[in-house]
Amino acid sequence: MHSLILLKMNAKENYILSYWEQIQTGAVVVSQRVEKQYKKIVATLERPRPGYHFDINRGNKPIDFIEQFCRHSKGEWAGKPVKLELFQKAYIMSLFGFIDDLTGYRQYRESLFMVARKNGKSTMAAGIGLYMMIADNEPGAEIFSCASKKDQAKIIFDETHNMVKQSPDLSKFIRKRKTDLYFDPTLSRFEPLGKNANSLDGLNTHLCMIDELHSIKDRNVYEVMKQSMSARRQPLMLMVTTSGTVRENIFDDIYSYACGIVDGTFADETFLPILYELDNRDEYKDPTMWPKANPGLLSIKKLDDLENKVKRAENNPSDLAGLLCKDFNVKSNSYNAWLTWDQLNNESAFDLERFRGSYFIGGADLAKCGDLTAATALMMDPQTEQRFVTQMFWLPRETFNERVQADKIPYDKWAERGLLRLCEGNSINYSDVTAWFLDLVQIHGISPSWIYYDAWSARYWVDEMKAQGFNMVACRQGAQTLSLPMQRLGADLAAKKINYQNNPILKWCLSNTSVTIDRNENIVPAKAQGQKMKIDGTASLLDAYVGLCDHYQEFREAV
């Protein structure tokens, strides 16, 4: 058994420096953020951060373990020892080799490793899981693979179990029980878990591996698993994933956080981000750029398979979104969405005070029951013709907490930021919508030109708005009314002509929006995903855009 713990150390090659040399010479092509991150890591090898040092033996230990004891279980390599690629070795050495001077424990406690599908992430994660269960000097280690569904979580678990069965050394000491793998000498276990956060309490996690982070809509899984590590000396949260199509979930939060660390927006010395992705969408057309998202191309991932997928996508645009998302890690929304993520995303902001003394066109999408309600004010700069949008959203207070828990949408976070307001009771009080429009007039000094609303809206609200002096215009929600404004809205969003204050709720609504196309190629909005994925922000903005199209020249001259 000691052969598993006291590993024969390979020659002390520094895989980080070897990988960096290949990046610098162009022998490997990587994304800008991978290059930035390894540049930082190499700099800390030359000039260690205060409080940390690099231990090449500690960095090599999991690599040696995986290559000595782990074997492939599938395909042409079945039964053969796992030989890690240089990009995997550089990552593992970075993850395990940097040590806290004071405690002697690992520096990194959390990591996002994003790579396109079929680049060996499950094999690498399984090897890391086995190492941390057996050879990480942690008695009673609890290792968990988590995902949105237990079947997904079992991908890494099954890969791990198969590795054990293929290895004469590991199979002697690791036994399969009903729900887990068990290592008797240290009373350690490895178990797959589904998304049910209520069943995760009471864990004492040493390693949590979240597979396909993008598919987890329930932030509680991440939070509960992270809290379960608090009693461990050097726990690790390892997230291995491709990009995804559901926006404003835990993946977006973690990915944005990882990008901020790489880009230097803020520092977190305990989080290691490695993001293999295309630097821009059009790079998928250039095969020399494909390794940016596929570091295992040729050695792990088959080139001809990727070539065939690209050719098929060129002839069938409906396949393109899935290809970009899963094979190139281009951030996307649902495959049948109206706009791509690049088209709808705009992180610009503005000060509403710049429009004091000016005019706005309003749009409103009122909930038919106790659902999400949205209101829009659309302004314009007459010189540049740039559009500026501010919005507000409402939900009933009485059912709010229940909705947050059931829908797993961050309404509570948006409410804390003042982007969403709560109406007393169990339904929307439309007078609250009236009050928001009045605030634009009375507090911000912006005058209303027209307020466009769904013709099915509550009559009493329309009468209330008219009584306050607003010029109300019914907007029928059919193709004849909406098609041209929706086409123009899409074009203006793609051209970054609409500054919507980087509002995450509107961004989420836009990413949920699909289109229905009639035989005359007219379009109207539709939900691209499930019932919980709302498009009310899009509908409200589109109503305002109908007003802009109806009165464009008149409005431009007024402002």
Side-chain angles (χ1 to χ4, degrees):
M1 184 58 222
H2 291 293
S3 63
L4 289 179
I5 305 299
L6 302 175
L7 300 172
K8 295 181 297 180
M9 299 303 296
N10 294 333
K12 305 299 190 296
E13 178 181 354
N14 190 317
Y15 299 115
I16 300 170
L17 292 179
S18 298
Y19 192 48
W20 178 244
E21 181 181 356
Q22 291 200 3
I23 293 172
Q24 290 298 97
T25 61
V28 297
V29 178
V30 297
S31 66
Q32 292 175 7
R33 287 195 170 108
V34 167
E35 183 172 2
K36 281 183 184 179
Q37 185 59 33
Y38 276 106
K39 184 177 182 179
K40 289 181 180 181
I41 293 171
V42 170
T44 62
L45 292 176
E46 298 170 352
R47 296 179 301 279
R49 295 188 190 96
Y52 299 98
H53 68 276
F54 179 71
D55 185 333
I56 195 169
N57 290 329
R58 296 273 293 270
N60 259 299
K61 191 178 176 185
I63 297 169
D64 291 339
F65 174 90
I66 293 170
E67 294 197 329
Q68 288 182 36
F69 299 113
C70 297
R71 294 175 180 263
H72 290 286
S73 62
K74 297 177 182 178
E76 61 187 282
W77 299 304
K80 297 179 180 179
V82 171
K83 296 299 179 186
L84 295 167
E85 297 297 317
L86 183 56
F87 77 92
Q88 296 171 319
K89 292 180 179 180
Y91 171 67
I92 294 171
M93 180 170 278
S94 299
L95 191 61
F96 287 86
F98 288 93
I99 308 301
D100 187 301
D101 290 342
L102 183 63
T103 64
Y105 300 142
R106 284 188 294 273
Q107 172 182 338
Y108 293 115
R109 302 300 181 91
E110 193 167 353
S111 180
L112 177 65
F113 186 83
M114 188 173 79
V115 68
R117 60 186 166 188
K118 302 301 180 183
N119 278 272
K121 63 182 176 64
S122 295
T123 299
M124 184 183 73
I128 291 173
L130 279 171
Y131 169 78
M132 291 189 68
M133 181 170 74
I134 294 173
D136 201 35
N137 299 319
E138 185 69 21
E142 294 185 6
I143 313 298
F144 299 105
S145 60
C146 297
S148 60
K149 297 180 180 178
K150 194 165 185 178
D151 287 346
Q152 178 69 39
K154 286 188 69 178
I155 291 176
I156 291 178
F157 177 81
D158 289 343
E159 180 72 15
T160 306
H161 184 209
N162 290 333
M163 278 185 176
V164 171
K165 290 191 293 184
Q166 292 282 352
S167 170
D169 290 307
L170 297 178
S171 59
K172 289 179 184 178
F173 301 101
I174 297 176
R175 57 191 173 95
K176 173 70 169 68
R177 302 193 301 187
K178 184 176 181 180
T179 60
D180 64 13
L181 298 174
Y182 195 74
F183 183 59
D184 286 288
T186 59
L187 308 179
S188 300
R189 65 190 181 103
F190 188 135
E191 182 179 351
L193 298 174
K195 68 178 181 180
N196 187 353
N198 294 328
S199 69
L200 305 181
D201 292 325
L203 303 179
N204 187 11
T205 306
H206 180 50
L207 168 66
C208 174
M209 294 180 289
I210 299 183
D211 191 21
E212 300 299 4
L213 180 69
H214 65 84
S215 67
I216 295 181
K217 301 174 185 178
D218 182 355
R219 188 181 179 91
N220 289 343
V221 172
Y222 170 83
E223 297 291 355
V224 171
M225 294 307 295
K226 195 167 182 180
Q227 290 168 12
S228 74
M229 299 177 171
S230 59
R232 293 290 180 178
R233 297 175 297 175
Q234 49 179 356
L236 177 62
M237 172 74 77
L238 177 60
M239 294 162 282
V240 289
T241 188
T242 60
S243 189
T245 63
V246 180
R247 299 279 64 92
E248 291 300 323
N249 66 352
I250 182 63
F251 172 81
D252 272 6
D253 288 347
I254 298 296
Y255 174 77
S256 296
Y257 189 73
C259 291
I261 293 171
V262 177
D263 297 339
T265 305
F266 46 81
D268 184 341
E269 294 178 336
T270 66
F271 190 110
L272 177 62
I274 300 293
L275 309 174
Y276 288 99
E277 59 189 348
L278 295 188
D279 294 314
N280 67 72
R281 183 178 185 273
D282 289 339
E283 287 180 340
Y284 87 92
K285 300 173 184 177
D286 182 355
T288 66
M289 297 293 105
W290 293 355
K292 287 186 175 184
N294 296 277
L297 194 61
L298 296 179
S299 58
I300 301 175
K301 187 169 183 172
K302 304 299 184 185
L303 176 62
D304 57 351
D305 180 63
L306 186 55
E307 288 174 336
N308 289 335
K309 287 179 180 177
V310 172
K311 288 178 182 177
R312 178 174 176 176
E314 288 174 346
N315 297 322
N316 186 2
S318 64
D319 291 335
L320 181 58
L323 173 81
L324 290 172
C325 181
K326 296 303 180 184
D327 286 287
F328 295 112
N329 280 337
V330 174
K331 199 174 182 184
S332 179
N333 37 304
S334 64
Y335 296 165
N336 61 336
W338 169 41
L339 301 172
T340 68
W341 179 257
D342 285 343
Q343 289 172 326
L344 68 88
N345 187 42
N346 188 342
E347 298 179 4
S348 302
F350 65 93
D351 186 350
L352 198 57
E353 279 299 299
R354 71 175 287 182
F355 294 100
R356 184 174 292 276
S358 187
Y359 294 86
F360 73 87
I361 298 174
D365 184 70
L366 305 184
K368 302 296 188 297
C369 53
D371 211 339
L372 188 65
T373 282
T376 297
L378 170 66
M379 288 75 67
M380 187 169 70
D381 183 315
Q383 276 71 48
T384 65
E385 298 188 6
Q386 186 87 355
R387 289 85 155 109
F388 297 84
V389 170
T390 186
Q391 286 193 323
M392 183 54 65
F393 296 82
W394 292 264
L395 280 172
R397 183 182 298 276
E398 190 172 300
T399 58
F400 182 71
N401 291 332
E402 179 182 342
R403 182 185 298 273
V404 170
Q405 292 298 318
D407 291 358
K408 310 305 181 187
I409 305 298
Y411 292 124
D412 52 342
K413 305 297 183 185
W414 294 334
E416 289 171 7
R417 293 176 56 185
L419 303 171
L420 182 150
R421 296 177 181 177
L422 301 183
C423 301
E424 297 302 327
N426 62 0
S427 62
I428 299 296
N429 182 350
Y430 298 145
S431 293
D432 291 348
V433 181
T434 303
W436 182 75
F437 279 117
L438 286 172
D439 284 348
L440 291 173
V441 179
Q442 297 169 359
I443 297 176
H444 298 286
I446 314 174
S447 300
S449 296
W450 306 271
I451 308 294
Y452 276 66
Y453 63 94
D454 184 343
W456 290 97
S457 294
R459 186 72 251 170
Y460 83 83
W461 177 72
V462 176
D463 291 340
E464 179 181 275
M465 288 285 285
K466 287 180 177 179
Q468 294 291 343
F470 291 98
N471 185 5
M472 304 297 290
V473 182
C475 181
R476 299 198 175 276
Q477 303 296 294
Q480 185 175 357
T481 303
L482 299 181
S483 182
L484 181 58
M486 190 171 184
Q487 292 175 42
R488 290 180 177 173
L489 174 59
D492 288 345
L493 284 165
K496 310 306 176 192
K497 204 171 182 178
I498 303 175
N499 182 333
Y500 53 82
Q501 295 184 309
N502 198 25
N503 188 316
I505 312 182
L506 176 56
K507 197 175 294 189
W508 173 65
C509 290
L510 290 169
S511 73
N512 294 334
T513 304
S514 181
V515 292
T516 299
I517 307 174
D518 67 17
R519 62 183 181 180
N520 296 317
E521 297 190 351
N522 293 312
I523 62 174
V524 292
K527 288 183 181 178
Q529 303 188 54
Q531 188 64 28
K532 298 175 183 178
M533 314 307 281
K534 305 301 181 184
I535 65 170
D536 305 85
T538 305
S540 173
L541 175 58
L542 181 55
D543 285 344
Y545 238 72
V546 173
L548 181 65
C549 292
D550 285 351
H551 303 281
Y552 183 80
Q553 195 59 40
E554 183 181 356
F555 185 64
R556 186 174 182 276
E557 291 173 358
V559 299

